[in-house]
Amino acid sequence: MRAAILVEGVSDQAALCALALRRGRDLAAEGIEVVAMDGATNAARYLHDYGPQGRGLVLAGLFDEAEERFFRLGLERAGFDPGPKTEDLEEFGFFVCRADLEDELIRAVGAEEVLRLVIAEGGERSFRTLQRQPAMRDKSLVHQLRRMMGGRSGGKERWARLLVEMVPSDQVPYPLDAVLARL
């Protein structure tokens, strides 16, 4: 391996691998590993193990907005000097998903299209149940879809792949596009 893209979890990993495949890239053949860290709190360990103090790989990464502090701290501990702004992390190949991967993909595809996908995939009943929950009733469709697709139901990985396959080529969310372009 010559490079690693560090991501929070398997849904991020699935999305990036699906996007690379869609673009005709074989990341493994290119010596690039997409590493799911099992949560942003593990960023410091992975940055150390894969970075200059460890395996010495070229690094890049993708993280959710709320998890920036873990990547920033990890970069600092790995010997990098990330500036004070979120955009400064891009100099090191780390890109933020606002608010998260699901949000980026739902906005790129369009909430109504994603709802059609949910129905086509047999998820309408469970989605309608989620919409009726008191905490979800006043939320936007995008928020409701994010909640469903980002839940712990084991489907995050599947939804990430499906959404990447649906997103128009010219609407690929910036962080996904940028992290793949980096390596």
Side-chain angles (χ1 to χ4, degrees):
M1 287 291 136
R2 68 172 183 81
I5 300 173
L6 304 179
V7 297
E8 292 181 43
V10 294
S11 63
D12 307 277
Q13 182 183 48
L16 284 174
C17 290
L19 182 58
L21 185 62
R22 184 174 159 183
R23 292 185 168 167
R25 291 185 66 183
D26 181 346
L27 296 178
E30 294 177 38
I32 301 169
E33 182 179 1
V34 180
V35 180
M37 301 182 303
D38 196 27
T41 57
N42 294 316
R45 186 183 82 204
Y46 279 86
L47 283 159
H48 177 271
D49 292 351
Y50 284 82
Q53 299 167 346
R55 294 172 61 184
L57 302 179
V58 175
L59 297 175
L62 193 63
F63 60 93
D64 294 346
E65 188 171 44
E67 311 304 341
E68 176 180 340
R69 67 190 183 281
F70 298 113
F71 281 82
R72 182 174 297 287
L73 178 63
L75 284 164
E76 289 169 0
R77 288 184 179 168
F80 299 99
D81 184 21
K85 298 182 293 193
T86 300
E87 295 75 26
D88 295 335
L89 298 177
E90 292 183 10
E91 290 181 37
F92 301 98
F94 289 82
F95 300 88
V96 62
C97 289
R98 308 219 189 257
D100 56 25
L101 174 71
E102 292 79 17
D103 182 60
E104 293 279 358
L105 290 169
I106 291 166
R107 285 187 292 114
V109 172
E112 292 299 329
E113 280 298 309
V114 174
L115 181 55
R116 283 191 268 288
L117 172 67
V118 168
I119 293 166
E121 291 292 315
E124 182 175 18
R125 183 172 179 216
S126 123
F127 181 68
R128 299 300 180 200
T129 299
L130 179 134
Q131 282 185 307
R132 288 189 300 270
Q133 293 177 359
M136 289 288 118
R137 287 184 192 143
D138 297 332
K139 302 293 183 184
S140 69
L141 178 58
V142 170
H143 184 89
Q144 292 168 344
L145 288 165
R146 277 182 56 220
R147 173 67 179 202
M148 187 190 100
M149 294 181 171
R152 304 201 190 289
S153 62
K156 280 182 80 160
E157 196 175 339
R158 178 175 147 251
W159 288 120
R161 268 195 300 275
L162 288 170
L163 290 176
V164 163
E165 291 167 6
M166 282 185 74
V167 72
S169 296
D170 63 341
Q171 296 293 322
V172 172
Y174 171 73
L176 279 80
D177 201 33
V179 77
L180 282 179
R182 177 74 179 208
L183 302 176

